[in-house]
Amino acid sequence: MRKQFDALGLSFTWEREVTTCLPEYYKWTQYLFLKLFEAGMVYQKEALVNWDPVDQTVLANEQAMFDALSDLPEWYGIKEMQANWIGDCVGCSLDFLLKVNGKVTEEKLAAYTYTPEAIYGASHLYILPTHRLLHGNSSLKEVFQKEFIPGKDSLTSVTAVNLLTNQEIPVVISAKANFDNFLDTKIGIPSTSAEDAAVAKNLGISFTEVIETLPNGLEKVINSAEITGMTRQKALKAITQQAKNKRIGGDLTSDKLRDWLISRQRYWGTPIPIIHCQACGTVPVPYEHLPVVLPSVTTFTGKGASPLESAPEWVNCSCPRCKAAARREVDTMDTFVDSAWYYLRYTDPHNTDRPFNSDLADYWMPVDLYIGGKEHAVMHLFYARFFSHFCHDLKMTKHKEPFQKLLVQGLIKNQTFRLTTTGQCLKREEVDLTGSEPVHLKTGEKLQVSWEKMSKSKHNGIDPEEIVKEYGIDTLRLYILFAAPPEQDILWDAKTDAMPGVQRWQMRLWALVTKLIEARTSETIPNPELLKKKEKADARKIWEQKNLVISEVTEYFTRDHLFNAAISRLMSLTNVLHQAPRPLVLHSIEFEDALASLCIMVAPMAPHIASEMWKGLAHMQNKLCTHHHWDVDVLHQSWPKVDPDYLQPSDVVEMSVLINNKACGKVFVPQQAARNFEEVHELVLQSELGVKHLQGRPIKKAFLSPRTALINFLVQE
C-alpha cells in the first residue's frame, strides 16, 4: 500500500509513521492503561460476550462523554449520532452487596435506576435471566439456577444491601428476556413505576411510598431519611452527590451504555499489563517493566481460550510485590485502544521516555481536520475523545477535544456480482457482460448485482496501478475528486463522463501553456501598450475572472472541502483563457498571471502535469509577471491571493438570503465583504431580515456563493 501511495503522488510525513503493533508503540498504550487503572477507571469482571469463532474476538458497547458534545464544532451530523448513541443521562447506577442466608457473598452489584431520588422506596432488585450471576463462575450461580422459574418473575433467597441507604431488599430474576437498551440490572421502585409496583404485589414484597404530590402539582419526597421534604429535583442532586462522595455510583448516565469492554481473547493486540497473584490479588506491572511484549505463539489452545495460554513460560511469572509465583493476564486489548490515542503519538513519534512531549502535543493539537468514514462516528471517535479528555485530566495536554473539524468521507463502491442460488460472489472474469443483463459465464445463470464497498471477499476491488497504467496518475486523482463531494459515495465506473472529462481538461490546460509559450517565442516582443481598447476590456474580464475563481477555490479548499466544485471553477477559468485571441495572449500580463495562478491551484490535485506546465512557463522567454517565483517548482509557490484592487468597495452587493433553500429576501452588503463568509454571515444575522427570520433558531450550516451573491442558511425547523 505504501508503494501505491507513492505511485499516486500522495504526500505523507513518513518520518512520523507509527506502527501500533510494535512494542515501541504499545509500550505507551500499556502506560496509559496503567494510568487508567490507577485512576480507578479500569476493573475486571466476568461478562457474557458475543463470540466470533472466525476472528476469535468479541464486540462490546462503550462508556463515553456526553456533556462535552455541546462544545464541539459542527461535525456533519456526528454530534447528533453520538448524542443518540449515548442517550439521555437521566438515571444512575448504585452499588449493592449481595447476601445469602444473611451472609455477605463475594459478589457486588451495580444496579440502574431512572429515579435515584426515590431510592428509599426500593422494593427489590431485578436481574435478567442472562445475567452473569446465573452463568460463568459466579458464586451465586447454583442458588439462582435452583430458584429461577423460566417465564416468571422469580423471587430468590438472595438479598441486596444498598450501600447508600443500608436497606436490604430481595433479588428478583425477571421474566423478561431484556430490559430497555443495554441494562441487565435494575432497581424496582414502586412509587415511580407502575410495573415495579405490580411485580412487588404479585411476589408479596412490601414497599414504602416515597413520593407525594402536593395540591399545586409539585412533587416532594417523603419517608426518605435526610432527604424527606425535598423536591424531587433537589433530592436527586442530594442523593447522587452522596453516592459519588462514597464512591458507590451516583454519576448520572444513560441506560443505553455499558462500560467499554476492551479485553479480547486473541493474539493480535496489546498485552494487558496486569499480573494475578494469589496473595496480592490484581497487581499492575511496574512502569519500568514496560513494555510487556507478546510471546511467540504458533498454536491455539481451543475455542474461547486466549492464544497466550499456549505460552506457559510467558504466562507464569513472579509477583512484582511479594515475588511469589503468579500469572500474567492472558487477554489482550482491543486494537481500538491503540488507535484511540495515535494522534497524540504523531506529535512526538520517536519519544522513548514518555508517550509524547506535552509541549509538542500542545503545539500540534487539536487536529485541524480529521478525515474518516461515518462508520467511526459512534465508536472510534468516542474512544479518541475519551483518551483525549483523560490525558487532559492528567495535565498531559492543554486541549480536551482532539479534533477541531471533521470531514466525513464517502466510499468508492463497485459492482458486486452474486449467484442468486448460493449468494457466492463472482470475479469479474467469471461474468458475461455482453448481454442486456449480467450472467454467469459458465452456467448462464442470472446474477444479483449491487453496488458495495470494495473488498477482496466480494471480488469487486480495483487495483489503482491498473488504472494508473491506463489513464495516468493525475487523471485518477482528478476523477476521484471530481466525481462527487467528499462526503458522498462514488459508484466506480470509468466509462462515465468524469474520467474522459478530466482527461480533456488536462489536454486543454497543456494546450494553454503551449499557446502562451509559442506566442512569446515569436519575433514580436510582448508589450501591453499595444493592446486595443476592446482587448484591454477583455484583459480586464480575465483579471476579474481570475480573482473570482481564486476567492471561490480558496474557500472550497480550506473551508468547504468541495473539491469537485473547485475543479468545476478551474475548468471555467480554463475556458475563459481558451477564448482569448492571440494578441491578448502575446501582450497581456492578465493572461499570463491567470494561467500561472491556474497552474498553482491545479497543483495540489494534479501535481505531475502542473509541475510540467510550470517548468514550461518558467523557461518561457519574455515573461511579464514578476511576482511569481519562477525559479522554484509549482508546489513551492505561494497560494494565489485576490488582488487588493478587486476588493475595493466601489458599490454594495444585493445578497439573496435563503433559509432551508427557500428565498426569504435580500440584504445589502459592502462589495468588499461579499466574498467573506464570516462577514456576510454576521451582516445578515444583524440585519432586519436576519433578526426576523434567524434569531433564536439553531443554524446547522450556512453556504455562501459569492458568484451568485447568495447565502443559504440551513436551520432546525
Side-chain angles (χ1 to χ4, degrees), residues 415-420 426 428 430-450:
Q415 286 181 313
T416 302
F417 299 97
R418 281 189 174 86
L419 290 172
T420 308
L426 299 178
R428 188 62 67 110
E430 297 176 303
V431 180
D432 182 357
L433 296 168
T434 57
S436 57
E437 292 182 276
V439 296
H440 190 191
L441 196 61
K442 190 181 290 184
T443 64
E445 179 185 338
K446 286 186 179 180
L447 303 176
Q448 290 179 337
V449 184
S450 57

Side-chain angles (χ1 to χ4, degrees), residues 633-659:
D633 189 74
V634 68
L635 292 171
H636 294 149
Q637 301 300 316
S638 298
W639 187 258
K641 289 184 173 61
V642 176
D643 293 312
D645 292 349
Y646 185 71
L647 298 173
Q648 291 304 310
S650 57
D651 206 346
V652 293
V653 173
E654 196 175 27
M655 186 70 62
S656 297
V657 179
L658 279 68
I659 297 177

Side-chain angles (χ1 to χ4, degrees), residues 400-419:
K400 269 190 179 182
E401 290 296 339
F403 311 127
Q404 184 63 30
K405 193 173 181 183
L406 187 67
L407 174 60
V408 177
Q409 64 183 18
L411 297 170
I412 299 181
K413 297 182 176 181
N414 201 14
Q415 286 181 313
T416 302
F417 299 97
R418 281 189 174 86
L419 290 172

